[in-house]
């Protein structure tokens, strides 16, 4: 009940305008609604009240990342980590942004820091796998993603990342099987439909490949 949540946070702020947590929580709900500029304003207000609010800095980074302001997002994550060096989620989110900037080795280092703090962080294991795939280290990527799946067996995106690694290694039939596992768990994962289409194309199964690409486009035009 997001609108009710927003109304409650706004009432809290009306009573106590310097309530940093309420501003930050309001930002979280606005972000969930896709109101990114309003979410940014709420996080910035929280930080203005409480400059050492690591969660607000990190959440601000998430919104900046979503807006494509990657350099600004990096700065926000670094501020969060200066305040709380053991903030595993901020290390991982920083890795995602560095990956988007093409700074692959730095992304790998950030994911490894997240995992040193929180070894059972399935998303960080998968994201590390994605970065390793981009670096051409697909054997390592597959191992990392299998670790993610040992933590969370229902992690569809990890199967998709494994599929990318297998395709990079020329193991196309196994890649197809991995993409199909991902889609059995998450049928609306457009990237997996697209990747499946690419693998099927390379196998010469063009009609199936075209059907997979059309499914990807139906989900994400």
């Amino acid at each position: 009940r997001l609108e009710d949540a927003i109304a409650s946070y706004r009432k809290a702020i009306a009573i106590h305008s310097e309530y940093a947590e309420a501003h930050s929580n309001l930002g979280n709900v606005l972000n969930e609604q896709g109101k990114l500029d309003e979410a940014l304003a709420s996080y910035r207000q929280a930080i203005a009240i409480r400059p050492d609010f690591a969660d607000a800095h990190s959440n601000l980074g998430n919104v900046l990342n979503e807006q494509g302001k990657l350099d600004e997002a990096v700065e926000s994550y670094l501020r969060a980590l200066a305040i709380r060096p053991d903030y595993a989620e901020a290390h991982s989110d920083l890795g995602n942004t560095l990956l988007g900037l093409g700074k692959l080795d730095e992304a790998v280092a950030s994911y490894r820091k997240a995992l040193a703090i929180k070894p059972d962080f399935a998303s960080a294991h998968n994201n590390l796998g994605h970065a390793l795939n981009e670096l051409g280290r697909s054997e390592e990527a597959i191992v990392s993603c299998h670790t993610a799946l040992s933590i969370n067996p229902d992690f569809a995106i990890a199967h998709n990342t494994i599929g990318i690694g297998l395709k990079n290694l020329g193991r196309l039939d196994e890649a197809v099987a991995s993409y199909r596992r991902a889609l059995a768990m998450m049928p609306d994962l457009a990237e997996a439909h697209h990747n499946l289409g690419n693998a099927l194309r390379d196998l010469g199964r063009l009609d199936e490949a075209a059907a997979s690409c059309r499914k990807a486009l139906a989900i994400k035009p």
Side-chain angles (χ1 to χ4, degrees):
R1 294 165 53 185
L2 300 184
E3 291 299 336
D4 289 344
I6 287 171
S8 288
Y9 292 133
R10 291 200 192 281
K11 284 175 188 171
I13 291 164
I15 295 163
H16 180 23
S17 63
E18 299 295 295
Y19 192 174
E21 288 80 2
H23 285 287
S24 182
N25 291 337
L26 174 60
N28 292 342
V29 181
L30 292 166
N31 184 20
E32 195 169 340
Q33 289 188 320
K35 298 175 179 176
L36 301 185
D37 288 331
E38 292 178 64
L40 283 180
S42 288
Y43 293 135
R44 287 191 168 120
Q45 185 62 37
I47 291 164
I49 296 163
R50 196 175 126 199
D52 65 346
F53 196 169
D55 285 345
H57 284 290
S58 184
N59 290 333
L60 176 62
N62 292 340
V63 175
L64 290 166
N65 188 36
E66 201 167 338
Q67 290 186 323
K69 299 172 181 176
L70 302 187
D71 290 316
E72 292 178 63
V74 167
E75 290 303 313
S76 285
Y77 295 131
L78 291 174
R79 287 189 194 104
L81 290 165
I83 297 160
R84 196 197 306 170
D86 64 347
Y87 195 168
E89 289 77 11
H91 281 293
S92 183
D93 290 336
L94 173 60
N96 294 341
T97 305
L98 291 167
L99 189 62
L101 287 165
K103 298 178 178 180
L104 302 180
D105 290 319
E106 292 176 61
V108 166
S110 286
Y111 296 135
R112 292 204 191 281
K113 285 177 186 171
L115 291 167
I117 296 160
K118 190 175 176 182
D120 63 347
F121 194 171
S123 292
H125 284 290
N126 174 71
N127 293 338
L128 174 59
H130 184 44
L132 291 167
N133 270 332
E134 291 290 315
L135 283 164
R137 294 159 60 183
S138 290
E139 295 281 6
E140 293 173 73
I142 290 166
V143 171
S144 191
C145 291
H146 278 301
T147 303
L149 288 166
S150 72
I151 298 162
N152 178 8
D154 298 322
F155 196 176
I157 292 168
H159 284 293
N160 181 61
T161 310
I162 288 170
I164 294 167
L166 291 166
K167 183 177 182 295
N168 289 347
L169 294 167
R171 294 159 61 181
L172 296 178
D173 288 316
E174 292 174 77
V176 166
S178 283
Y179 297 136
R180 292 202 192 281
R181 285 188 201 103
L183 291 166
M185 295 176 181
M186 192 185 290
D188 62 349
L189 184 56
E191 291 80 1
H193 285 291
H194 172 250
N195 292 336
L196 175 59
N198 286 340
L200 291 166
R201 179 200 61 205
D202 289 355
L203 284 165
R205 294 158 62 179
L206 300 184
D207 289 337
E208 293 174 75
S212 286
C213 292
R214 288 194 172 103
K215 284 178 185 171
L217 290 166
I219 296 162
K220 198 169 180 180

